[in-house]
Amino acid sequence: MHILIVIGSIMMFLAVAIGAFGAHALKPKLTPEMLKIYETGVQYHLIHGLGIILTAVIGIVLPSASGLATAAGWCLLGGIVLFSGSLYVLSLSGIRKLGAITPLGGLLFIAGWIVLVIAAVQA
């Protein structure tokens, strides 16, 4: 459980740093469309970084839910990597085919939240 707090905190640090980089260094270099894509990646990164921390806290507070809460946290991490990561690379490279990876990250986000619901209901 504690590893998810560390990972979630690292994800939050990265989201803030990546967001600041986009706002200050990339804003003049990206088209408005690509900047919006980048900002969407940052937004989902931030939300799900907090979600990872939440899964760890739920696993600690509800020990009977810790296994599923941990699984939910790993799903959210995978979602950040695939969803936000693909949007970052797409916006910086312009390679539109990378957009095909984004929905897989979205599915991992959805799976993580569903698994967390199951964990809470079963606890």
Side-chain angles (χ1 to χ4, degrees), residues 32-56:
E33 177 191 8
M34 290 299 167
L35 187 60
K36 178 134 178 62
I37 290 169
Y38 188 91
E39 290 170 347
T40 299
V42 172
Q43 179 183 15
Y44 278 78
H45 191 153
L46 283 165
I47 292 165
H48 292 89
L50 286 174
I52 293 169
I53 295 169
L54 176 66
T55 63

Side-chain angles (χ1 to χ4, degrees), residues 51-104:
I52 293 169
I53 295 169
L54 176 66
T55 63
V57 171
I58 288 172
I60 292 166
V61 172
L62 302 171
S64 63
S66 67
L68 286 173
T70 299
W74 289 112
C75 286
L76 297 180
L77 177 61
I80 291 171
V81 170
L82 293 179
F83 185 91
S84 295
S86 67
L87 292 182
Y88 297 147
V89 175
L90 167 63
S91 64
L92 294 171
S93 71
I95 301 171
R96 297 241 176 229
K97 290 183 181 185
L98 291 170
I101 297 169
T102 309
L104 298 175

